[in-house]
Amino acid sequence: MPMPQADATRERKTFYDKIDHANCTPLWEVLHALVTATPNTPCRPYLWNWSTVWPWLQEAGELITAREAERRVLVLENPGLRGRSRITHSMYAGLQLILPGEVAPAHRHSQSALRFILHGQGAYTAVDGEKVTMNVGDFVITPSWSFHDHGNPSDQPMVWLDGLDLPLVELLDAQFMEKGEHERQSINHSAGDNLARFGNTMKPVEYRPRSRTSPLFWYPYERTRAALETMKTHGSQHACWGYKLQYTNPVTGDWAIPTIGTFMQLLPRGFKGIPYRSTDSTVYAVVEGTGRCVIDGESFEFGPKDVFVCPSWMPYQLEADEQAVLFSYSDRPVQQVLDLWREAF
Ligand code: 1HN
């Protein structure tokens, strides 16, 4: 005869308590939460308005120096992941301010980083002995385990979006970090060298890859923007994403950063996208234009320098009033190489 439900519950509880002491636990109590029909992300849709965060960045500039902070950054924390320094489950995002005359000292780490320039011009980042001066819309790579420092010799503040694979590397317990011997690394290549060597669908004959990360680490906006405009003139637009390019390693044709997929897209004036979803939660930064992203029925109005996040598998629609240009990044390369990535529209 089966046990009455109350007795069964009590006996099970006693059993769970007993095995708990030896770090064992019954799967059947958690199975349905572990293996769900569709992604069950804690990540929520959200938009950070430039007009809200810019005064806070300026205030941070009065509270602490870049040298003292090491990096003066306001972390963009997903509202569903507060306290965990991340904008999606797998990706970090922050807004970094560097004021005229400041230096952010050299270090290196196993996390890969991207910089996407939102505001100002004339600050530089130095990567492995090469310096690039950055402008709004430029995409810059700091490869895993490369020394990097930043400086601002210009007369205006500069802000960029930092994107890192920090949560992914943390999950894998593969973090390493080292401070540079000197605050600034010595520069042995002039600005523009990198673009000349790798940015023209050619490469130096002696080049031998040292990693999967693109040897081109500066993708100026001018070129990306021109490519999108040309696509618009000659091509047919996609119903979800308008005209969209992904940044590549020019030598292999693969992703520019092995753990972070990076993209730029153009939505023509009046564009109304159909709903799209994919398993890679995606961070968007607006370069130009205005419009909205409707995520799971909620509308987020965007303008230049705003940042917003579309969580895994939630349907979203992109719309442009004025022609819009959007940068985005996600963990898509990781999901694809593991055969996990899905999209639907
Ligand atoms: C980092 O190295 C930078 O180099 C910015 O500018 C943000 C956030 C977490 C860990 C390392 C930078 C970072 C970071």
mmCIF file of all heavy atoms in Angstrom, residues 89 105 165 169 184 194-195 301 321:
data_model
loop_
_atom_site.group_PDB
_atom_site.id
_atom_site.type_symbol
_atom_site.label_atom_id
_atom_site.label_comp_id
_atom_site.label_asym_id
_atom_site.label_seq_id
_atom_site.Cartn_x
_atom_site.Cartn_y
_atom_site.Cartn_z
ATOM 1 N N HIS A 89 24.370 37.178 -18.653
ATOM 2 C CA HIS A 89 24.923 36.089 -17.845
ATOM 3 C C HIS A 89 26.402 35.841 -18.148
ATOM 4 O O HIS A 89 27.175 35.475 -17.278
ATOM 5 C CB HIS A 89 24.125 34.807 -18.126
ATOM 6 C CG HIS A 89 23.769 34.077 -16.891
ATOM 7 N ND1 HIS A 89 22.809 33.105 -16.841
ATOM 8 C CD2 HIS A 89 24.239 34.174 -15.634
ATOM 9 C CE1 HIS A 89 22.712 32.648 -15.616
ATOM 10 N NE2 HIS A 89 23.561 33.285 -14.864
ATOM 11 N N PRO A 105 46.928 52.841 -15.972
ATOM 12 C CA PRO A 105 48.197 52.101 -16.044
ATOM 13 C C PRO A 105 48.110 50.718 -16.717
ATOM 14 O O PRO A 105 47.063 50.102 -16.763
ATOM 15 C CB PRO A 105 48.591 51.958 -14.568
ATOM 16 C CG PRO A 105 47.355 52.210 -13.781
ATOM 17 C CD PRO A 105 46.461 53.065 -14.605
ATOM 18 N N ASP A 165 34.700 39.423 -21.535
ATOM 19 C CA ASP A 165 34.138 38.090 -21.325
ATOM 20 C C ASP A 165 34.346 37.612 -19.881
ATOM 21 O O ASP A 165 34.433 36.417 -19.621
ATOM 22 C CB ASP A 165 34.778 37.109 -22.309
ATOM 23 C CG ASP A 165 36.306 37.118 -22.218
ATOM 24 O OD1 ASP A 165 36.847 37.784 -21.310
ATOM 25 O OD2 ASP A 165 36.964 36.484 -23.060
ATOM 26 N N VAL A 169 34.930 33.732 -18.336
ATOM 27 C CA VAL A 169 36.248 33.290 -17.855
ATOM 28 C C VAL A 169 36.143 32.895 -16.377
ATOM 29 O O VAL A 169 36.783 31.936 -15.935
ATOM 30 C CB VAL A 169 37.314 34.386 -18.100
ATOM 31 C CG1 VAL A 169 38.671 33.964 -17.559
ATOM 32 C CG2 VAL A 169 37.418 34.701 -19.592
ATOM 33 N N ARG A 184 53.255 53.038 -18.249
ATOM 34 C CA ARG A 184 52.998 53.064 -19.694
ATOM 35 C C ARG A 184 53.973 52.125 -20.365
ATOM 36 O O ARG A 184 55.169 52.143 -20.037
ATOM 37 C CB ARG A 184 53.252 54.469 -20.265
ATOM 38 C CG ARG A 184 52.346 55.507 -19.694
ATOM 39 C CD ARG A 184 52.608 56.815 -20.400
ATOM 40 N NE ARG A 184 52.387 57.912 -19.484
ATOM 41 C CZ ARG A 184 52.092 59.141 -19.871
ATOM 42 N NH1 ARG A 184 52.004 59.417 -21.158
ATOM 43 N NH2 ARG A 184 51.906 60.094 -19.005
ATOM 44 N N ASN A 194 49.262 49.197 -37.525
ATOM 45 C CA ASN A 194 48.439 47.996 -37.419
ATOM 46 C C ASN A 194 47.437 47.915 -38.567
ATOM 47 O O ASN A 194 47.271 46.872 -39.201
ATOM 48 C CB ASN A 194 47.747 47.987 -36.050
ATOM 49 C CG ASN A 194 46.940 46.725 -35.818
ATOM 50 O OD1 ASN A 194 45.727 46.742 -35.939
ATOM 51 N ND2 ASN A 194 47.629 45.626 -35.533
ATOM 52 N N LEU A 195 46.793 49.043 -38.817
ATOM 53 C CA LEU A 195 45.785 49.107 -39.883
ATOM 54 C C LEU A 195 46.444 48.884 -41.249
ATOM 55 O O LEU A 195 45.899 48.199 -42.115
ATOM 56 C CB LEU A 195 45.085 50.469 -39.831
ATOM 57 C CG LEU A 195 43.815 50.614 -40.647
ATOM 58 C CD1 LEU A 195 42.714 49.701 -40.130
ATOM 59 C CD2 LEU A 195 43.324 52.063 -40.613
ATOM 60 N N GLU A 301 13.075 53.288 -26.017
ATOM 61 C CA GLU A 301 13.414 54.321 -27.002
ATOM 62 C C GLU A 301 14.919 54.563 -26.933
ATOM 63 O O GLU A 301 15.468 54.743 -25.851
ATOM 64 C CB GLU A 301 12.704 55.631 -26.660
ATOM 65 C CG GLU A 301 11.195 55.550 -26.693
ATOM 66 C CD GLU A 301 10.620 55.420 -28.102
ATOM 67 O OE1 GLU A 301 11.192 56.031 -29.036
ATOM 68 O OE2 GLU A 301 9.607 54.691 -28.261
ATOM 69 N N ASP A 321 13.630 55.659 -36.423
ATOM 70 C CA ASP A 321 12.953 56.861 -36.922
ATOM 71 C C ASP A 321 13.913 57.522 -37.903
ATOM 72 O O ASP A 321 13.734 57.450 -39.097
ATOM 73 C CB ASP A 321 12.600 57.793 -35.755
ATOM 74 C CG ASP A 321 11.663 57.088 -34.758
ATOM 75 O OD1 ASP A 321 10.906 56.202 -35.186
ATOM 76 O OD2 ASP A 321 11.701 57.430 -33.561
#
